[in-house]
Amino acid sequence: MFNRTRCLQIAAALASISLLAGCGVFSEDDEKGNQKLVVGTTSRPTNLDPAAAWDGSWELYRNIYQTLLAFPTGSSKPQPDAAQSCEFTDVANESYRCVLRKGLKFSDGEVLDAKAVKHSLDRIRTINDKLGPKDLFGSLERIETSGELTVVFHLKTPDATFPFVLGSPAASLVAPNLYPADKLRTDGKVTGSGPYLLKAYDKQHAELERNSGYSGFAERKNDAVTIQYFDDSTAMVSALKGKTIDATYRGLSAAEVKDLQGPESRKLGIQVVDGVGSEIRYLVFNPADGTVAKPAVRRAIAQLIDRGTLVSTVYQGTAEPLYSMVPKGVATHKTPFYDRFGQPSGTKARAILREAGITEPVQLTLSYTTDRYGSSTADEFAELKRQLEASGLFKIKLQGKPWKAFQQGYKNGDYAVFGRGWFPDFPDPDNFVAPFVGKENAVGTPYDATEITNELLPRSRRQSDRGAVGKEFERAQEILAQDVRLLPLWQGKLYVAAGEDVAGAERALDPQTVMQMWEFSRKTSW
């Protein structure tokens, strides 16, 4: 019940970079003054049906589907969107009621009422897609409707984070007549009630057009956005510099980020804004593998990895070392891996292995995806291999696979050690701990952390004041560092770059680092 997984998530950038840049020449506004922009990305949706994707598809979902709650820019708490109001109706945080706005409709004219909300969320659990967001609803017992506008969520256990789930694209609302209750929609079309309509879609483009029937929190500052999907970041940067796209995010390498911050890009009128990001990268150890099942092997790796060198060599300062699964900038962040292992040390790593009776070099394969987190990922794993082998304690093979094959592989338990990325489902420390523990979790390797799942998480979820859960999550971070089932590596910075004629770039990323396309507009005069 404590699973907060996300198949990623996990769609990503430079291996964690989120970058928007633009020049605003290609997409000329029409004679009526309608504002249209083109945004490039290397992160394609894996499925248009929200019941089947828990990954970078959320970038598109946020803009075409509506949710009961949402996270407006600058807000770390969910605010009403399709709902007029939502609240817990009991002190135990086990019953959550939402009242919908009046007059909501889907793009096909179908009424968006309480029954449609129930249908949308029930089907996620009924379909139970392996790559879908079903585990985010692990605390949900049943959904009850009252009249046309009231929905009540009855929870199995207290869960103060449930409103955050309803504010994520996992809870996207869909039209009942077109989205079957027990199977996925397969016609390649979308019927939602979000800020934009999906007018056309293929592997190269998603054409978004302002939804005139939308009623929600988003204040749209443009009329249409074309999302252009690229196979690699090199082509995307070339398109940006050639002014055939206005903006770009997701998938840029560290070198490309540096280039976009450089003098030549400034001559093109590109401005860059950076900030602390909450996306992280980490290694996962699969206990089903006999070698990494040994705690000494995992701890020796934790003792050897030099995060500072990794970040400076591969990411050139566009990321920073991470010593906890809860990143800097998120409440309760600590540095338990640094506190436990300190500076990288081959001597200490050797002693850890020798004490466990391991005297020969440990042979391991490190697996990673080649096309999901940006072109720097291969360089990152080459550096990890170099560091581990330089100690003389490990012999490392590298295995890179395309995202879909990689995703199936880790879900099937095929890899001993593999790299993953995590973008938050919602801005709360719960979402950096709960997804990774329990029998079923985001990384596909069961992790029986009973103190976390049976004590710390339930206790924290009884607390509506999320600022009062420090002790629980500090202890959880200590346990994660002690077990070393997951090894945090680095935390990405956010980079938003836009041309001088484009406004709103600093507001385009919501607290989940999901792109809000409606924030972009073109300045009309200088």
Side-chain angles (χ1 to χ4, degrees):
M1 73 180 63
F2 304 110
N3 299 325
R4 289 279 193 276
T5 73
R6 181 175 178 182
C7 295
L8 230 67
Q9 227 241 2
I10 298 180
L14 115 76
S16 164
I17 277 187
S18 299
L19 189 143
L20 303 164
C23 302
V25 174
F26 169 74
S27 56
E28 296 290 342
D29 300 333
D30 64 27
E31 294 179 357
K32 297 180 180 180
N34 291 338
Q35 294 219 3
K36 301 177 181 180
L37 296 101
V38 181
V39 178
T41 179
T42 61
S43 180
R44 288 184 178 88
T46 56
N47 202 300
L48 294 181
D49 191 325
W54 194 353
D55 55 24
S57 303
W58 283 17
E59 296 283 4
L60 182 59
Y61 294 174
R62 174 56 78 200
N63 293 279
I64 59 177
Y65 291 111
Q66 198 170 15
T67 47
L68 289 171
L69 301 169
F71 293 91
T73 300
S75 173
S76 60
K77 295 182 179 180
Q79 306 296 323
D81 186 11
Q84 174 181 301
S85 64
C86 291
E87 63 182 351
F88 279 104
T89 59
D90 63 335
V91 295
N93 293 334
E94 291 182 325
S95 182
Y96 194 70
R97 181 178 62 201
C98 290
V99 178
L100 292 169
R101 296 174 186 261
K102 295 181 180 179
L104 293 178
K105 292 185 178 181
F106 292 103
S107 57
D108 67 337
E110 187 176 353
V111 174
L112 198 174
D113 57 10
K115 291 182 179 179
V117 172
K118 176 176 168 58
H119 173 89
S120 298
L121 303 187
D122 277 346
R123 69 187 295 270
I124 293 173
R125 298 187 298 161
T126 299
I127 294 171
N128 197 28
D129 190 90
K130 189 174 184 179
L131 302 180
K134 62 184 184 306
D135 290 331
L136 268 175
F137 299 92
S139 64
L140 178 60
E141 182 176 31
R142 62 186 176 90
I143 303 173
E144 176 187 1
T145 63
S146 177
E148 295 183 355
L149 301 178
T150 301
V151 185
V152 181
F153 301 92
H154 298 281
L155 308 181
K156 302 172 186 175
T157 58
D159 187 359
T161 71
F162 188 72
F164 291 80
V165 176
L166 293 182
S168 76
S172 295
L173 304 177
V174 298
N177 286 342
L178 295 169
Y179 291 79
D182 57 356
K183 60 183 179 181
L184 298 176
R185 182 174 182 174
T186 59
D187 63 1
K189 297 181 180 180
V190 164
T191 308
S193 59
Y196 296 96
L197 304 175
L198 184 64
K199 299 299 292 184
Y201 176 82
D202 58 32
K203 290 185 177 181
Q204 284 72 46
H205 302 89
E207 301 284 347
L208 308 186
E209 182 180 281
R210 178 191 285 252
N211 179 8
S212 61
Y214 170 73
S215 177
F217 81 97
E219 296 182 9
R220 292 158 297 181
K221 299 177 176 65
N222 58 63
D223 298 285
V225 176
T226 295
I227 302 175
Q228 186 170 342
Y229 300 112
F230 290 87
D231 292 327
D232 60 75
S233 58
T234 301
M236 184 168 65
V237 170
S238 178
L240 175 66
K241 290 186 173 182
K243 302 181 181 180
T244 58
I245 61 175
D246 297 301
T248 172
Y249 74 102
R250 299 278 191 242
L252 295 165
S253 70
E256 288 164 343
V257 172
K258 288 294 185 182
D259 176 60
L260 288 167
Q261 293 174 320
E264 292 302 317
S265 293
R266 285 198 294 273
K267 289 180 181 178
L268 295 175
I270 296 175
Q271 55 181 326
V272 179
V273 178
D274 64 65
V276 176
S278 54
E279 62 270 69
I280 67 174
R281 294 296 177 272
Y282 57 96
L283 293 179
V284 181
F285 297 99
N286 184 357
D289 179 85
T291 301
V292 298
K294 300 172 183 177
V297 172
R298 306 195 300 269
R299 290 169 184 162
I301 293 175
Q303 186 65 71
L304 286 171
I305 296 299
D306 187 338
R307 295 168 176 82
T309 297
L310 176 67
V311 167
S312 62
T313 300
V314 179
Y315 295 110
Q316 304 175 40
T318 57
E320 56 185 309
L322 181 63
Y323 298 94
S324 171
M325 292 298 289
V326 178
K328 179 181 178 182
V330 175
T332 77
H333 165 74
K334 296 295 180 181
T335 57
F337 279 85
Y338 185 85
D339 299 340
R340 179 172 290 271
F341 297 101
Q343 293 294 331
S345 170
T347 300
K348 291 181 179 179
R350 185 180 299 275
I352 291 172
L353 293 173
R354 295 297 182 266
E355 185 177 351
I358 301 172
T359 58
E360 297 295 323
V362 178
Q363 298 189 30
L364 283 175
T365 298
L366 305 187
S367 301
Y368 64 93
T369 179
T370 58
D371 60 352
R372 196 63 173 177
Y373 303 139
S375 58
S376 297
T377 306
D379 294 335
E380 174 181 346
F381 276 78
E383 173 61 17
L384 292 174
K385 170 182 167 71
R386 186 197 67 77
Q387 291 185 15
L388 293 175
E389 291 190 335
S391 69
L393 302 175
F394 289 88
K395 291 289 186 181
I396 302 297
K397 291 183 180 180
L398 298 179
Q399 175 180 240
K401 290 188 175 184
W403 172 248
K404 286 189 176 181
F406 176 78
Q407 193 177 39
Q408 290 295 335
Y410 76 70
K411 283 288 184 180
N412 293 334
D414 295 341
Y415 311 136
V417 186
F418 57 98
R420 287 294 309 276
W422 184 255
F423 283 68
D425 297 312
F426 49 84
D428 188 276
D430 185 288
N431 198 234
F432 291 92
V433 175
F436 309 107
V437 295
K439 184 177 180 181
E440 294 182 358
N441 57 48
V443 295
T445 58
Y447 179 10
D448 186 18
T450 54
E451 183 179 350
I452 296 177
T453 57
N454 294 350
E455 299 178 31
L456 300 176
L457 289 176
R459 191 159 68 236
S460 73
R461 290 174 180 173
R462 296 188 190 101
Q463 182 57 259
S464 295
D465 179 4
R466 302 309 292 164
V469 295
K471 290 183 179 179
E472 287 80 6
F473 286 107
E474 288 174 16
R475 173 57 183 156
Q477 290 173 80
E478 292 175 358
I479 294 171
L480 295 177
Q482 176 183 326
D483 294 347
V484 197
R485 287 287 307 280
L486 306 145
L487 183 62
L489 296 174
W490 55 267
Q491 171 178 357
K493 296 179 182 179
L494 293 178
Y495 292 86
V496 178
E500 293 177 341
D501 66 334
V502 176
E506 73 283 356
R507 296 180 56 82
L509 289 168
D510 76 356
Q512 301 160 301
T513 67
V514 172
M515 193 58 57
Q516 300 180 139
M517 297 297 181
W518 56 83
E519 292 289 356
F520 286 101
S521 64
R522 200 180 312 286
K523 299 174 183 177
T524 57
S525 63
W526 290 90

